[in-house]
Amino acid sequence: MNPMERSPKHRQRQAAHFLLVPELLYSPPNRAIIEALVELGYRVHVFAPGTPGDASDYGPDVETHRADYSMRWLRRHLLQPRWWGFDCFSGTSEDPLAVVGLLSAITGRPCFSLVDEIKSGSFRGNSPERWKQLCRWAMRRSRFTIVNDDSRVDLLRDYASLPAQARVVVYPGCFHQPPQPDPSYRKALRQQWGLDEDALVIASSGAFNLTAGADWLVQALQEEPSLQAVIQPLAVSPLCLFLLRRLGLDRRLYLQEERLGWQEAWRSAVGLDIGLAIYTNPAPQFQHMGTSSNRLCMFLAMGVPVIASRQDSFRFIEEYDCGVLVEDYPQFLAAIRHIRQHLPQMRQNCFRCFHEYIMPPDRYPQLREAIASLTQT
């Protein structure tokens, strides 16, 4: 069969989905995309740099492969006949989208883009401008693009110069079927962490640096003797871990040094009382976080009130009274004390906010419909 011809209709459709890093294989937005593709009858091939991840949790219709995002890789792989066996291409931002756009253009198959990172301003990244232009071109040729919060729609349109009629789908950074809070697991976690069962426990999950409130958390632990904490850091230096271990906070601080899986990280939030969603980085995407923040969605889904940096995309937190917005350390410390006093009611407000505002079970069918439309001409 001529590889330029479309596959016969009776053959199972094939989708190629490209990840920036293999750790994103089970991230909430990518999980939603892959599960929707499988539900729609596709066999999904997931590509990422490095060692391919284990896709067995998805079942037999998902497999992983290696890919790299460079001109050298394109020269070796772009014109391989296997690409004409795919019916659609997709990927996460930013570097994978150059490959997605080129494969779509060469094969004539449709593509869509998950723009979960908008690499503009001081957060432009280190990719050559030529590669970034290819990525933005891929966003423009996509049948639709996905962002994780309404506040990022205009940001994306400006960054990628999307035409006015371009379709943008909003899907939050959370699971459409999140794990349910388990009170018995909360008790077991407190014992595992070596923290008191009745203590107020604050947590930082993900990036742990000065733009994520790391200094405020450490200072609060020093000034509030009854406060305890869990830190689940990602991409921190050995020096940072060394210093955290030597803060002299035995029995008050648990440091999660092994990376948790996405589902396990969400399940473990049941052991917490306050979660941090601090973003002081001035780059545009960090001032338009909203429901694109996985940690924010995780905390609210599990009934954990948040302390978040003040920005328009987080105003719903105050409207639902499921957290406190802050601008500096004194406000941060006051927020801890406020949540301590109102914790039971604020927990209930978290669940209400998750189901009424974030609404992943309602957003998922919209995402699935958009993917289903790829086969419509």
Side-chain angles (χ1 to χ4, degrees):
M1 183 183 73
N2 186 332
M4 300 293 288
E5 296 176 357
R6 283 195 178 274
S7 304
K9 290 185 178 180
H10 67 270
R11 194 175 73 88
Q12 183 179 18
R13 291 196 293 259
Q14 308 287 313
H17 185 60
F18 292 80
L19 302 176
L20 179 63
V21 292
E23 289 80 8
L24 293 176
L25 178 60
Y26 292 105
S27 76
N30 284 293
R31 184 166 200 129
I33 289 171
I34 294 169
E35 288 181 344
L37 285 164
V38 171
E39 289 175 12
L40 291 167
Y42 286 89
R43 183 172 182 82
V44 184
H45 300 257
V46 182
F47 295 83
T51 304
D54 178 8
S56 59
D57 283 359
Y58 286 114
D61 286 323
V62 180
E63 57 185 90
T64 57
H65 312 269
R66 178 168 181 168
D68 291 306
Y69 308 121
S70 65
M71 290 297 180
R72 180 180 179 183
W73 189 89
L74 285 176
R75 285 193 292 269
R76 293 183 60 186
H77 297 274
L78 186 61
L79 297 179
Q80 288 185 353
R82 67 169 171 166
W83 302 120
W84 276 266
F86 288 95
D87 298 279
C88 69
F89 298 95
S90 58
T92 62
S93 68
E94 183 173 71
D95 288 349
L97 296 182
V99 174
V100 169
L102 288 169
L103 289 175
S104 172
I106 289 172
T107 63
R109 310 304 198 253
C111 69
F112 64 93
S113 303
L114 169 59
V115 190
D116 50 349
E117 300 277 9
I118 300 177
K119 296 278 195 170
S120 62
S122 59
F123 190 63
R124 77 169 299 283
N126 298 319
S127 297
E129 184 56 31
R130 180 184 179 189
W131 192 270
K132 289 178 68 67
Q133 288 174 356
L134 281 174
C135 295
R136 293 194 292 270
W137 165 76
M139 297 175 198
R140 290 192 295 273
R141 70 164 286 112
S142 294
R143 289 280 187 90
F144 60 91
T145 52
I146 305 164
V147 293
N148 306 123
D149 187 77
D150 291 299
S151 69
R152 290 191 172 188
V153 174
D154 289 340
L155 191 65
L156 171 63
R157 290 190 185 279
D158 291 342
Y159 175 65
S161 300
L162 295 184
Q165 70 275 16
R167 183 179 184 183
V168 180
V169 175
V170 178
Y171 181 82
C174 59
F175 295 111
H176 63 98
Q177 294 179 320
Q180 296 301 305
D182 182 353
S184 64
Y185 190 45
R186 173 183 172 89
K187 182 176 181 179
L189 281 169
R190 290 292 180 100
Q191 293 175 344
Q192 175 187 325
W193 294 337
L195 304 179
D196 296 336
E197 189 174 342
D198 58 351
L200 185 75
V201 175
I202 189 170
S204 171
S205 180
F208 189 74
N209 53 48
L210 295 181
T211 67
D215 52 337
W216 294 351
L217 174 56
V218 171
Q219 188 172 348
L221 284 169
Q222 294 172 334
E223 296 183 13
E224 290 283 310
S226 64
L227 185 65
Q228 300 185 8
V230 172
I231 299 177
Q232 300 168 329
L234 288 181
V236 296
S237 68
L239 174 61
C240 179
L241 293 174
F242 174 86
L243 295 174
L244 285 172
R245 294 190 205 105
R246 284 156 180 79
L247 286 174
L249 296 172
D250 294 342
R251 299 288 303 176
R252 292 184 54 214
L253 171 62
Y254 177 77
L255 182 60
Q256 177 71 54
E257 297 189 40
E258 295 182 3
R259 183 180 182 128
L260 297 176
W262 293 92
Q263 287 277 352
E264 180 55 30
W266 277 56
R267 288 185 68 237
S268 71
V270 75
L272 311 173
D273 298 310
I274 302 175
L276 299 193
I278 303 294
Y279 298 92
T280 60
N281 188 319
Q285 82 154 17
F286 294 107
Q287 297 307 308
H288 296 78
M289 289 302 298
T291 58
S292 66
S293 170
N294 169 74
R295 72 191 72 162
L296 172 80
C297 293
M298 174 182 74
F299 291 137
L300 296 183
M302 303 304 285
V304 180
V306 296
I307 300 177
S309 45
R310 184 169 293 282
Q311 56 179 261
D312 286 345
S313 70
F314 284 154
R315 288 177 60 187
F316 70 92
I317 294 171
E318 288 187 327
E319 293 169 359
Y320 278 89
D321 191 26
C322 57
V324 181
L325 303 185
V326 301
E327 298 180 66
D328 52 32
Y329 176 70
Q331 293 181 6
F332 179 83
L333 192 59
I336 293 174
R337 294 166 178 168
H338 175 83
I339 294 174
R340 184 196 296 271
Q341 293 174 357
H342 302 89
L343 185 55
Q345 182 57 53
M346 295 184 78
R347 283 195 182 281
Q348 295 306 312
N349 295 342
C350 290
F351 295 127
R352 186 168 64 89
C353 176
F354 186 78
H355 292 292
E356 293 182 5
Y357 183 84
I358 301 177
M359 303 184 303
D362 296 311
R363 303 269 195 175
Y364 178 71
Q366 299 170 18
L367 173 65
R368 189 179 184 277
E369 182 275 327
I371 295 174
S373 71
L374 296 174
T375 60
Q376 301 170 7
T377 58

